[in-house]
Amino acid sequence: MFSNQKGLTSKLKGISAAAILGIALVATSPTTSVFAKSEEKPKFEFGLVPDIQYCDCDASGTRFYRNSVDKLKAASQTLNQHNLGFTVQTGDLIDKNISSFSTILPIYNMIEGPKYHVLGNHDFPVTTEKVVDILNMSNQYYDFKYKNWRFVVLDTNDLSLYANPEGSEKYKQAEEMYNSLKESGAVNAQTWNGGVSNEQLTWLRGVLDKAAQTNEKVVVIAHMPVYPENNHNVWNDDAVIKELEAAGNVVAYFNGHNHAGNYGVKNGIHYVNLKGMVETADTTSYSIVEVYKDRLEIDGFGREQDRVLKIQK
């Protein structure tokens, strides 16, 4: 049974949808943030769906790949009960097989309204260019405006050992960055992580500067975390953080990748690592984010907890 917290009504509706599909959506942990539902209406809402990671494969450890189909169907029903501005899946739509896209994409597309994709490290049975084409993305990283907010989608697989053809310039840069981290004993020196190229960092700086000039607040969405320090972090996390802090208008950074979830705040920016939907046999994980003048409120479903992110700038 859900605790008495914000989003109770919509969560109960989510249970009904899940029951039809045979999915038991359980309460968030006892550590879930509890706050009263305000009469104030949000400026808008958007959905976040992390690490669906579907595969027609047997479960491995705590990852139940096939169960993501019913979890996503249930999530789409609940999300469609809200007037969302848009929805973003934060990467790892599939686990490894290119054929998985044809199964899971139509289910994601059941969600009404605009939908966006973030590239995750498991989304590369083929190279970046081909995955971008499969997902009908405008580019591997991009930005868009909603109301007076700017949303920036990063590609944290830009420099990696799995998204680029072996021998390509980006593959060579990835090797150099990875080997340097490995030699230094960095905890994020993992082959399933990646880095952000100088080209993308320059692009990010330009987007954030332009947003600052037009008084737009910014939310950044990526697959891999950059803060707090963790073995799942982007290889050059410090370089990304430097750009996020420089413009002074970034409110939050949302990501997946680390299925356990994480949270930190640094120099006015909230870093929210969402918990993976693929984890556990019967418990989902996704969120609706409500945008207010002075805060973002995360209404978490299943394993994802509620949070209030105060706008500090």
Side-chain angles (χ1 to χ4, degrees):
M1 183 174 180
F2 285 109
S3 59
N4 182 21
Q5 59 186 11
K6 172 181 170 295
L8 178 60
T9 302
S10 56
K11 284 182 171 66
L12 289 173
K13 290 178 181 177
I15 292 175
S16 177
I20 294 170
L21 293 158
I23 295 297
L25 302 182
V26 301
T28 50
S29 70
T31 60
T32 294
S33 301
V34 178
F35 47 89
K37 183 70 175 177
S38 170
E39 293 300 320
E40 180 186 1
K41 299 293 185 183
K43 293 179 180 297
F44 63 93
E45 300 174 303
F46 63 93
L48 292 172
V49 186
D51 295 85
I52 298 161
Q53 209 166 323
Y54 167 74
C55 179
D56 185 13
C57 309
D58 293 337
S60 176
T62 58
R63 298 181 182 184
F64 289 75
Y65 304 106
R66 291 191 182 98
N67 296 20
S68 286
V69 166
D70 282 349
K71 289 181 185 180
L72 187 56
K73 285 179 181 177
S76 70
Q77 291 188 15
T78 302
L79 293 171
N80 287 343
Q81 294 168 4
H82 295 257
N83 183 27
L84 301 181
F86 57 88
T87 300
V88 183
Q89 67 87 8
T90 65
D92 284 1
L93 182 62
I94 65 167
D95 180 62
K96 58 187 174 184
N97 300 323
I98 193 169
S99 60
S100 295
F101 283 120
S102 62
T103 298
I104 205 68
L105 259 178
I107 300 172
Y108 180 64
N109 287 334
M110 289 169 59
I111 300 171
E112 297 168 359
K115 289 168 286 292
Y116 297 95
H117 297 284
V118 177
L119 295 175
N121 57 299
H122 282 273
D123 293 322
F124 293 94
V126 290
T127 57
T128 299
E129 183 179 344
K130 293 180 180 178
V131 178
V132 165
D133 185 57
I134 290 169
L135 297 178
N136 196 29
M137 297 170 64
S138 59
N139 192 45
Q140 65 192 95
Y141 50 88
Y142 56 94
D143 67 292
F144 61 94
K145 182 178 179 179
Y146 193 85
K147 304 293 186 179
N148 196 42
W149 284 70
R150 179 68 49 180
F151 291 85
V152 181
V153 174
L154 299 182
D155 177 19
T156 52
N157 318 276
D158 195 5
L159 301 180
S160 64
L161 302 175
Y162 49 80
N164 303 295
E166 191 169 347
S168 66
E169 183 58 35
K170 283 192 174 180
Y171 188 93
K172 292 175 183 176
Q173 290 177 33
E175 274 190 318
E176 183 177 341
M177 188 177 289
Y178 170 75
N179 289 335
S180 176
L181 286 172
K182 195 73 174 175
E183 289 172 9
S184 69
V187 295
N188 61 335
Q190 310 290 340
T191 56
W192 30 263
N193 291 334
V196 177
S197 66
N198 288 333
E199 177 185 11
Q200 186 177 173
L201 289 172
T202 300
W203 168 84
L204 173 61
R205 184 179 312 134
V207 171
L208 296 181
D209 286 347
K210 186 176 179 180
Q213 291 167 14
T214 54
N215 296 314
E216 295 173 354
K217 292 183 174 66
V218 178
V219 167
V220 178
I221 307 174
H223 182 63
M224 297 173 194
V226 292
Y227 183 84
E229 183 179 12
N230 189 273
N231 64 340
H232 291 82
N233 280 18
V234 173
W235 286 340
N236 55 337
D237 48 7
D238 286 343
V240 177
I241 291 171
K242 181 179 178 181
E243 297 299 339
L244 300 181
E245 293 181 351
N249 56 349
V250 177
V251 173
Y253 178 105
F254 291 101
N255 66 273
H257 194 45
N258 176 7
H259 296 183
N262 207 350
Y263 172 78
V265 60
K266 181 176 183 286
N267 294 331
I269 302 175
H270 299 273
Y271 295 88
V272 184
N273 190 146
L274 303 163
K275 298 177 181 180
M277 178 178 277
V278 72
E279 294 289 327
T280 78
D282 57 5
T283 312
T284 193
S285 183
Y286 63 97
S287 302
I288 292 174
V289 181
E290 299 179 350
V291 179
Y292 296 86
K293 181 179 179 179
D294 63 345
R295 68 196 185 279
L296 305 180
E297 292 190 2
I298 302 174
D299 188 3
F301 293 76
R303 296 171 60 241
E304 192 55 63
Q305 69 187 76
D306 294 350
R307 297 182 190 274
V308 178
L309 311 180
K310 295 291 186 181
I311 297 174
Q312 299 180 34
K313 292 184 180 180

